[in-house]
Amino acid sequence: MADEAVAARPAEPAAPKAKEARSPEAPPRGGGRGDDRAKDAPERTDAPEPTDTSDSADDEAGEREKERERAADRFKDRTRDPLTEEEGEEGPTDAAAAARARREGQKLLSSNRDLIGFDRSDIGQVHIGDINVRLDALRSGLLMRDGPVPAEELLRIRRTHIEPGGYVRLRRALEARRLLVLGGAPGTGRASTALALLEEVTRAGEGRENSERVRRADPARGVRELATQVAGGTGGHPRGTGYLLEPALDRPGTLPPDGMDLDQLASALAEQGSYAVVVVSVGSAANPLLAGRYGAICPPAPTRELVAVRLRQRLEEEHGDPVRSGGAGGPGGGDGRGPRDGDGSRDAGGGRDRNGGAHRDRGRDEHADRDGGEGRDRDSHRSTDRDRDGSPDGGGHGRRDGDGGRSGDRPGRGAGPDGDGSLSLLLERAAELREDPEVTEAVGLDDLRPAEAELFASLLAGHLRGTVSRAELLSGCRGLAAVQAYEWFAGVDRALAAPPPGDGRTPVRSGTAALFHPVAFRIALAVLGGASHSAVSAAAHLLTWELSVQSDPDSTPARPLFCDDPEADLALSRARPADGVVDVAGSEVTGRLIFYRGSALPAAVLAELWDRHFPVRAPVVRWLRLLADDPRPQVSMRAAVAAGELSVRDFEHGYAELIRPLAEAPTPRRRVFAATALDQAAGHASHRRAVRKVVDNWSLHGTPAQRWTAAMALGYGRCADSMDDTLDTLAEIGVRDDGEQLAVASLNVVRLLTLPECATVLRRLAAWTGHRREEYQDLALVSIVRLALTDVDEVLDDEPGTPLGDRGDWPLLLALAATRPELTGKLADLFWTALNTARSRDVALDALETLLRSASRKDGRAWTREGLAALLPALTAEEQDRRRLDWLLRRMMRDQDRPLAEERARALWRLAVPARQRRSEEEESHG
């Protein structure tokens, strides 16, 4: 305080009040505790003056006073923040930001998803119930070879492709320039859109009579060789041919074509009356192409329409052909499916294969890019361009129903050949099932890509027909994210073994860094989802370095400084930005956050990474250790939660490589990381026993650093069998070695007070205050003082919206008094004990002053007044307590740095002391 000379201690206390009014668990107010009665009892001003005035008596009194001062200093040292050892006692920590980051990280990784059954020898198929869905579209574009696109595939594309937004503009650009560079993320339907464009423009051009008018070009040859081939007429390709080229720009040593190469190809195409679409993935390598005159972005097909059309096709397979029976359908009686072939079997437009792979899947199996976006009829009798491009989805001829959905979401006008309306009923049930919250949660993706829509529709149809159980349906839906994760990681670095291009040009970009960055970004997003975009991007670059060094330890990987493309990172990782708040130095500021487009993806990415790619564990472990040192809680705490989840998948490895080394680290930040990872693992019933054994061993036999880590893990409340066991272990840690770990033990006792077993903690604190050993007394007293100085946000795991969560910036003592009135008496008794114990009195008085100043905010709005109104009357039940409060308020009013306004002092006095108990001289000061 600023004016210590006003009074050295509270005013003379009166006789204590009868004990019956206090909680039975609390120690007697003003009483001593066993052998420590004389040493720890509060000083009294009415004690008789000593009669022995000899030098020895003076020396003894002086020594006692020095001992009391030393005891007070030791106690104050134990109330320090144990997390600030790196910066010093006064160094700031942002425990509230750490608690929020941990909570948000847990939400992203709490899905506990299972994996669908894979045929490990051939990932091209997924089996769910009796459904066998081909996933050949997952395979790399490097498998594509030069050759004509089969006529049956063109017919399927013509009838069933769903046009993305801006399709007409893409077609007009291709007709005008003969060449289109189409960019998009893999799996979004870009190759299907390219084939649809080529099928349409060649059907109206010079090659309309040619059955092989659309060809795929060998991706290994590139744009320059294709231009030479077209210009020279080699290969016997007739005029009016359409070419689809997917150059492998992600292969190390491969350079993208330049503008002159594209101009040369466009000129050759114009001379031959031909067309070409070059499909590329968005990213730094392709961005110059997409920014040029031939470039365009291909939007993804609308998810809702994809699923609706696919679902209708699956259901109609079991109910005849309503279109040919007079039902609803596409132009000319089309139903959005492929036509019947000569022997009466139906081409389902690339649907699932349940009977050994009929020819209807042949076209899709040759598709390269998981771009199987198909849907409605595309014959020559289309609606006008203006009608198609004016729709919010980017076109489409289906009419919209009342809720804005396509007509594909609604039952057809006909009920099928049976005429009993069963198809209509199935479609209605299908629409309801699609919106089932449990199904939506199981899918866990904000939008579906074509192959995912295919599988989802097959699952829904199978469940409606009774061939897929509810459990299989949910399991299959959860597997959609697992399939995406598999695609992202399978054979990523296989291209490193490929030879460089033979075109004579020298590569100018690093192979490993460019190859690994998209993968590193996805891993970083899985670990740090919800953090700022800049934090995720920086972490991704760190991981790119680690992966590159692991892959090629003899070379120093080049790290491009100006080749990042944030928009490409989002597209390639199915991510989305969002405005939000970021914790910076204890304050919340607006920032650009980043999330996956689907709650299922973070867990799926980590599971795929850890369970199937063992060589990548070493660089990821090194990377997580780097993140553990990050001073930003949004980074280190999210990484700790992810480390805990990875440890669950292989506890032996996680404990040996992450948890134990960091638990023994010299810095608190790393030990907090290890404790958080342990608690995350303890959240899984399968690992709870192992975690508790580790914590118990560390607390009994561990090094000081391990005991410190065990105490932090115990503070989460899940690393012991019961609350009593947790408190016993914390006490053992706190009192050992003359209280060396008492500060961290008391911090975690306070953290336990936010849990439902709060009353158990308070009873244990009361018991410790009466213990014969001074270390137990200090553990209780330090915990009580810390309870008054700790804000709710620093220790609470609850979301806002709970009684404590809505009081995040309140001192925890006052928040508990306001929200748990049944605990007010116990809280007041414990704080009274700290105020009336010699070694804790000064620190407790400072804490009480902090509580009093929090009654209202600087602008006059109420703050913790409700909590003070509950606590102060119980804390000042005796005359000496009221005198102490009177003295403290006077001191606060005379504080030269922060004087308390007289009006506020009067309001606080009235909160604490009923009118009938106020003395006249106090009324003059406090009203």
Side-chain angles (χ1 to χ4, degrees):
M1 296 299 106
D3 194 5
E4 294 293 340
V6 174
R9 58 181 61 86
E12 177 183 356
K17 186 179 177 182
K19 302 175 185 176
E20 286 73 19
R22 301 187 300 274
S23 61
E25 295 84 357
R29 285 193 173 183
R33 293 175 296 280
D35 297 339
D36 301 304
R37 179 186 302 271
K39 177 170 64 176
D40 292 334
E43 298 184 34
R44 298 177 60 88
T45 58
D46 56 351
E49 293 293 332
T51 57
D52 187 356
T53 57
S54 63
D55 292 341
S56 60
D58 291 342
D59 292 342
E60 184 178 350
E63 187 62 31
R64 285 198 302 269
E65 181 63 26
K66 290 179 180 179
E67 176 59 30
R68 281 194 294 269
E69 292 176 357
R70 286 192 293 268
D73 289 341
R74 286 195 302 270
F75 185 88
K76 183 177 181 180
D77 184 63
R78 287 171 172 173
T79 61
R80 74 188 189 282
D81 187 349
L83 306 180
T84 60
E85 294 177 9
E86 293 171 283
E87 296 86 1
E89 185 177 347
E90 302 301 325
T93 59
D94 198 348
R100 283 191 290 271
R102 171 179 172 268
R103 186 168 61 240
E104 292 166 2
Q106 287 178 322
K107 286 193 300 183
L108 291 178
L109 297 174
S110 63
S111 54
N112 295 324
R113 297 177 175 273
D114 57 350
L115 301 180
I116 57 177
F118 288 108
D119 177 0
R120 296 297 184 184
S121 63
D122 183 8
I123 196 63
Q125 300 184 17
V126 177
H127 304 274
I128 303 167
D130 70 341
I131 296 176
N132 175 12
V133 181
R134 300 285 299 180
L135 294 176
D136 289 1
L138 296 178
R139 301 185 185 278
S140 169
L142 293 177
L143 298 179
M144 302 295 296
R145 290 295 181 263
D146 189 19
V149 177
E152 60 189 28
E153 182 175 355
L154 291 180
L155 182 58
R156 176 178 59 81
I157 289 291
R158 174 184 172 185
R159 285 189 170 275
T160 63
H161 178 258
I162 294 179
E163 298 172 358
Y167 177 87
V168 172
R169 288 189 294 273
L170 296 177
R171 193 199 69 207
R172 290 172 176 169
L174 179 59
E175 290 173 336
R177 298 187 178 95
R178 300 282 176 169
L179 174 63
L180 181 67
V181 179
L182 194 61
T188 56
R190 55 188 186 163
S192 292
T193 298
L195 286 175
L197 289 167
L198 291 171
E199 190 278 334
E200 187 171 353
V201 297
T202 57
R203 180 160 41 89
E206 298 181 31
R208 67 177 67 90
E209 303 299 330
N210 179 16
S211 61
E212 298 182 351
R213 64 178 185 273
V214 178
R215 302 183 62 88
R216 289 189 176 95
D218 187 349
R221 296 181 178 177
V223 169
R224 183 177 297 181
E225 187 167 342
L226 177 62
T228 302
Q229 182 182 18
V230 172
T234 59
H237 305 164
R239 293 177 59 83
T241 298
Y243 299 91
L244 171 63
L245 174 63
E246 299 183 57
L249 300 182
D250 58 346
R251 299 180 66 183
T254 301
L255 292 174
D258 54 31
M260 294 184 64
D261 294 333
L262 296 177
D263 289 339
Q264 181 182 1
L265 176 57
S267 176
L269 291 169
E271 291 177 2
Q272 296 294 325
S274 299
Y275 303 88
V277 177
V278 179
V279 175
V280 297
S281 294
V282 292
S284 59
N287 282 349
L289 303 179
L290 297 175
R293 70 171 66 92
Y294 303 105
I297 296 295
C298 179
T303 295
R304 185 176 181 84
E305 189 170 355
L306 273 173
V307 176
V309 172
R310 286 290 165 268
L311 183 58
R312 185 178 189 82
Q313 291 174 355
R314 298 298 168 266
L315 293 176
E316 287 176 351
E317 288 177 1
E318 302 296 329
H319 286 268
D321 192 340
V323 175
R324 298 186 183 277
S325 301
D335 64 348
R337 298 177 288 145
R340 294 180 182 274
D341 58 19
D343 61 4
S345 63
R346 180 180 296 112
D347 181 353
R352 60 185 175 85
D353 178 6
R354 299 179 54 195
N355 301 305
H359 77 280
R360 64 187 180 220
D361 279 327
R362 199 180 316 144
R364 191 183 62 228
D365 291 349
E366 294 172 7
H367 232 254
D369 180 341
R370 196 183 174 201
D371 291 333
E374 310 102 352
R376 64 198 142 133
D377 288 0
R378 297 175 42 83
D379 59 17
S380 57
H381 303 290
R382 297 173 180 267
S383 56
T384 64
D385 292 345
R386 178 172 52 86
D387 291 339
R388 284 189 296 160
D389 239 10
S391 66
D393 297 44
H397 65 280
R399 65 180 177 85
R400 295 189 175 274
D401 51 29
D403 64 356
R406 293 279 183 183
S407 60
D409 290 336
R410 303 177 60 182
R413 291 189 294 269
D418 52 4
D420 60 0
S422 59
L423 178 59
S424 298
L425 294 176
L426 279 176
L427 289 171
E428 291 176 0
R429 290 175 55 198
E432 295 175 358
L433 187 59
R434 285 175 54 189
E435 305 301 329
D436 187 318
E438 191 175 11
V439 172
T440 301
E441 190 279 333
V443 171
L445 299 172
D446 293 351
D447 45 57
L448 297 180
R449 293 180 172 180
E452 295 163 351
E454 179 82 20
L455 176 55
F456 184 47
S458 298
L459 289 168
L460 293 177
H463 181 64
L464 292 173
R465 295 194 305 264
T467 58
V468 174
S469 68
R470 176 82 174 183
E472 290 175 326
L473 169 66
L474 297 178
S475 178
C477 290
R478 294 186 182 102
L480 293 174
V483 172
Q484 173 65 93
Y486 173 84
E487 176 193 356
W488 277 342
F489 290 99
V492 167
D493 56 352
R494 188 176 297 121
L496 290 175
D503 57 6
R505 291 183 296 173
T506 303
V508 296
R509 61 189 181 100
S510 169
T512 55
L515 189 67
F516 287 130
H517 179 71
V519 175
F521 190 88
R522 292 161 188 155
I523 298 172
L525 184 56
V527 172
L528 303 179
S532 65
H533 194 167
S534 61
V536 174
S537 181
H541 279 292
L542 285 177
L543 182 55
T544 300
W545 176 277
E546 294 292 343
L547 294 174
S548 300
V549 170
Q550 185 76 13
S551 175
D552 187 7
D554 296 330
S555 302
T556 300
R559 181 177 179 181
L561 300 181
F562 297 99
C563 291
D564 273 7
D565 183 355
E567 298 304 321
D569 288 341
L570 296 178
L572 293 174
S573 300
R574 299 183 74 162
R576 62 177 176 86
D579 292 333
V581 295
V582 179
D583 291 293
V584 179
S587 302
E588 293 184 351
V589 297
T590 302
R592 187 173 189 255
L593 312 183
I594 183 172
F595 301 85
Y596 268 118
R597 297 185 60 84
S599 60
L601 287 171
V605 166
L606 293 183
E608 172 69 21
L609 176 74
W610 218 242
D611 294 346
R612 292 178 55 84
H613 303 281
F614 295 104
V616 84
R617 288 187 176 187
V620 170
V621 164
R622 293 195 299 268
W623 174 68
L624 288 173
R625 290 180 181 179
L626 291 174
L627 298 187
D629 293 324
D630 196 295
R632 295 168 294 179
Q634 65 163 327
V635 174
S636 59
M637 293 304 290
R638 283 181 168 88
V641 171
E645 287 296 316
L646 294 175
S647 298
V648 168
R649 309 201 72 84
D650 187 346
F651 193 74
E652 177 189 19
H653 186 272
Y655 175 79
E657 299 295 330
L658 278 172
I659 294 175
R660 181 168 181 172
L662 295 179
E664 297 171 344
T667 59
R669 186 173 289 124
R670 284 197 160 200
R671 298 198 295 265
V672 169
F673 185 100
T676 304
L678 271 177
D679 172 73
Q680 187 67 20
H684 295 259
S686 58
H687 289 70
R688 193 166 298 145
R689 182 176 179 181
V691 171
R692 290 174 177 176
K693 183 65 173 177
V694 168
V695 172
D696 190 55
N697 286 339
W698 284 357
S699 63
L700 292 175
H701 311 296
T703 64
Q706 288 176 336
R707 294 199 303 273
W708 194 100
T709 305
M712 288 301 300
L714 287 165
Y716 290 114
R718 298 192 293 193
C719 293
D721 293 334
S722 66
M723 181 59 72
D724 284 327
D725 291 340
T726 301
L727 293 167
D728 287 341
T729 307
L730 283 173
E732 293 170 358
I733 295 172
V735 304
R736 184 173 173 177
D737 298 333
D738 296 326
E740 178 185 357
Q741 306 282 4
L742 192 144
V744 69
S746 66
L747 170 63
N748 288 284
V749 170
V750 172
R751 293 171 65 197
L752 295 174
L753 286 167
T754 63
L755 302 179
E757 301 92 334
C758 176
T760 302
V761 181
L762 294 179
R763 284 195 295 270
R764 184 62 64 89
L765 287 173
W768 287 341
T769 59
H771 201 280
R772 294 180 60 86
R773 291 181 59 184
E774 183 177 324
E775 291 84 359
Y776 280 93
Q777 299 167 21
D778 281 353
L779 177 58
L781 293 171
V782 171
S783 300
I784 294 165
V785 172
R786 198 181 298 280
L787 173 62
L789 297 175
T790 301
D791 287 346
V792 172
D793 271 346
E794 298 177 27
V795 292
L796 184 68
D797 283 336
D798 290 350
E799 292 280 359
T802 62
L804 282 180
D806 288 339
R807 295 170 172 82
D809 60 348
W810 284 36
L812 181 57
L813 176 61
L814 297 182
L816 289 173
T819 60
R820 301 286 298 274
E822 73 279 8
L823 302 178
T824 301
K826 299 181 179 67
L827 294 167
D829 287 341
L830 290 169
F831 197 58
W832 183 92
T833 301
L835 288 168
N836 285 275
T837 302
R839 60 183 181 274
S840 63
R841 181 185 58 213
D842 291 344
V843 179
L845 278 173
D846 290 345
L848 180 57
E849 178 178 344
T850 300
L851 297 179
L852 294 173
R853 291 187 182 276
S854 71
S856 58
R857 304 184 187 275
K858 292 182 179 180
D859 59 5
R861 292 182 295 118
W863 188 1
T864 64
R865 182 183 178 88
E866 179 187 1
L868 287 168
L871 181 68
L872 288 179
L875 191 62
T876 59
E878 301 175 358
E879 180 64 21
Q880 69 174 22
D881 304 326
R882 291 191 290 274
R883 291 192 177 188
R884 181 194 295 113
L885 178 63
D886 171 55
W887 169 83
L888 183 57
L889 289 173
R890 292 171 187 266
R891 189 179 76 170
M892 294 168 63
M893 292 170 64
R894 292 192 289 268
D895 190 322
Q896 295 179 5
D897 296 328
R898 301 175 60 200
L900 182 68
E902 181 178 347
E903 180 181 356
R904 295 181 64 180
R906 288 179 179 177
L908 290 169
W909 179 253
R910 290 168 180 166
L911 280 180
V913 183
R916 64 180 181 275
Q917 295 179 352
R918 299 173 193 157
R919 293 173 21 170
S920 59
E921 64 270 19
E922 293 162 349
E923 285 287 340
E924 292 179 4
S925 294
H926 310 305

